[in-house]
Amino acid sequence: MRILVTGASGYVGSHVVAALVGSGHSVRGLVRSPEKARRVLARHGSPEHEVVQGDMTDRAVVAEAIDGCDAVVHTAAVVALDRAGAAAAADTNQRGAEVVLGEAGRADVDVVVHLSSAAVFSLTDGAPITEATPLTRAAGGYAASKVAIERFVRGMQAAGAPLTLLYPVGIYGGAPVEVDQTHEALAYWVNDATLNTSSGINVVDVRDVAEAAVRCVEQTVIDERLVLSAGFVPWAEMGGLLDELVQGAVPRIRIPGRVLRGMGRAVDRVPALGKPVAFPLTHEAMTYATKNVVTDGARATQVLDLEYRPVRSTLHDALRWLAREGHLDRDWPGLVEPAHPPAG
């Protein structure tokens, strides 16, 4: 099959490309920078791919990119958890989804896989999140932009478009393109302080997200909505888990969730207040961090016959990458990579 991957030079998109190529498919990438795409995909051992240069909001470019493809995997998105970037992210993401998914429908491809986010679901009742959880009523920001796109995509599904939606939680592991917000936060927990607060974090490996997309394409999975989550780590347990992974004692600090959310509101009003902190200290980010609930990814394992990597393994891989790229302040014995790969 020939498959178009939007955002092919991004963290998730590049892993989707690698997984598709590994399964024998031909991939075309829609990217803004072919040079970046070649550099990023080379890390996966597959630098030479057909690319179309352009933006996902450009209808003519998107139509050209989709022409001749059997399927589309839409991963391109702008992530912005701060108020300053929220409006631009909302506009770009919504227009991009409407253009890409609309043109895919007109091209009559076999299947379209849309990478959404578990952030579209409500956290209000404290029950585990599943595919049946109501959408959040967030008034603005990243989640609101994702919900607007969600309603558009669900409308296309209801109209008969061959669409499946995937909802990954916090994505770690693999080889990031750069230090994104999730890996930036992980580095902060090890370098500066692991926050002991309310709630916890849901984790899924980027390679499992990519594999889920591949299986949707290969099995022509349509009219589905699948949450992708390997497990939940309470913040009260995160420090101990990191201690085990790095084989040392990471710093810890206890801050009530309401205090972190208040700090986020202050940073939203005066962004300079958040500059000393190397993670997105915004009200929206802190709401996710301190009110998050268990997200249940079991249905995807049944529909796609998918087996998630253990959370410990995913976080260990992410920490090793951070260490290798020089983003940790000291050497940790648990992150020293073997000089030679183990036999067998």
Side-chain angles (χ1 to χ4, degrees), residues 26-139:
S26 173
V27 176
R28 177 185 292 163
L30 176 62
V31 299
R32 285 180 291 182
S33 170
E35 293 76 17
K36 177 184 176 182
R38 282 191 288 270
R39 184 175 69 254
V40 170
L41 295 174
R43 301 177 190 175
H44 296 287
S46 51
E48 297 301 324
H49 292 291
E50 183 182 1
V51 297
V52 173
Q53 182 177 11
D55 192 274
M56 64 177 174
T57 62
D58 187 325
R59 192 172 298 277
V61 170
V62 170
E64 175 191 349
I66 292 175
D67 185 42
C69 290
D70 304 296
V72 174
V73 181
H74 182 45
T75 76
V78 177
V79 178
L81 297 180
D82 60 294
R83 282 190 173 183
D91 182 60
T92 300
N93 291 339
Q94 186 162 355
R95 287 193 296 122
E98 290 173 356
V99 169
V100 172
L101 303 182
E103 290 303 313
R106 275 185 276 276
D108 197 27
V109 299
D110 296 331
V111 58
V112 180
V113 181
H114 173 62
L115 267 292
S116 183
S117 167
V120 302
F121 296 115
S122 173
L123 305 175
T124 54
D125 62 3
I129 287 174
T130 69
E131 292 81 0
T133 299
L135 298 178
T136 182
R137 296 180 180 179

Side-chain angles (χ1 to χ4, degrees), residues 56-226:
M56 64 177 174
T57 62
D58 187 325
R59 192 172 298 277
V61 170
V62 170
E64 175 191 349
I66 292 175
D67 185 42
C69 290
D70 304 296
V72 174
V73 181
H74 182 45
T75 76
V78 177
V79 178
L81 297 180
D82 60 294
R83 282 190 173 183
D91 182 60
T92 300
N93 291 339
Q94 186 162 355
R95 287 193 296 122
E98 290 173 356
V99 169
V100 172
L101 303 182
E103 290 303 313
R106 275 185 276 276
D108 197 27
V109 299
D110 296 331
V111 58
V112 180
V113 181
H114 173 62
L115 267 292
S116 183
S117 167
V120 302
F121 296 115
S122 173
L123 305 175
T124 54
D125 62 3
I129 287 174
T130 69
E131 292 81 0
T133 299
L135 298 178
T136 182
R137 296 180 180 179
Y142 176 68
S145 76
K146 299 297 283 189
V147 169
I149 296 167
E150 185 74 13
R151 297 190 188 283
F152 169 77
V153 177
R154 290 189 182 192
M156 290 190 67
Q157 273 190 325
L163 270 163
T164 278
L165 291 86
L166 299 180
Y167 306 95
V169 291
I171 304 175
Y172 291 89
V177 174
E178 56 194 0
V179 184
D180 57 15
Q181 291 180 334
T182 54
H183 287 79
E184 186 177 55
L186 180 57
Y188 182 87
W189 304 337
V190 174
N191 290 333
D192 299 283
T194 299
L195 300 180
N196 184 355
T197 187
S198 55
S199 185
I201 181 173
N202 293 281
V203 175
V204 69
D205 197 291
V206 68
R207 292 160 292 191
D208 294 335
V209 176
E211 182 60 26
V214 171
R215 296 189 184 196
C216 287
V217 168
E218 292 181 336
Q219 300 169 24
T220 317
V221 177
I222 60 174
D223 198 25
E224 278 286 359
R225 301 170 191 163
L226 300 171

Side-chain angles (χ1 to χ4, degrees), residues 308-324:
Y308 295 114
R309 289 169 172 80
V311 169
R312 294 174 60 92
S313 173
T314 295
L315 291 179
H316 198 210
D317 281 354
L319 287 165
R320 280 185 163 174
W321 180 84
L322 287 167
R324 186 169 62 247

Side-chain angles (χ1 to χ4, degrees), residues 293-332:
V293 297
V294 173
T295 303
D296 186 353
R299 189 161 180 277
T301 67
Q302 300 162 6
V303 173
L304 302 178
D305 192 26
L306 179 70
E307 183 175 350
Y308 295 114
R309 289 169 172 80
V311 169
R312 294 174 60 92
S313 173
T314 295
L315 291 179
H316 198 210
D317 281 354
L319 287 165
R320 280 185 163 174
W321 180 84
L322 287 167
R324 186 169 62 247
E325 296 296 315
H327 298 295
L328 300 185
D329 292 345
R330 54 166 285 191
D331 294 330
W332 295 93

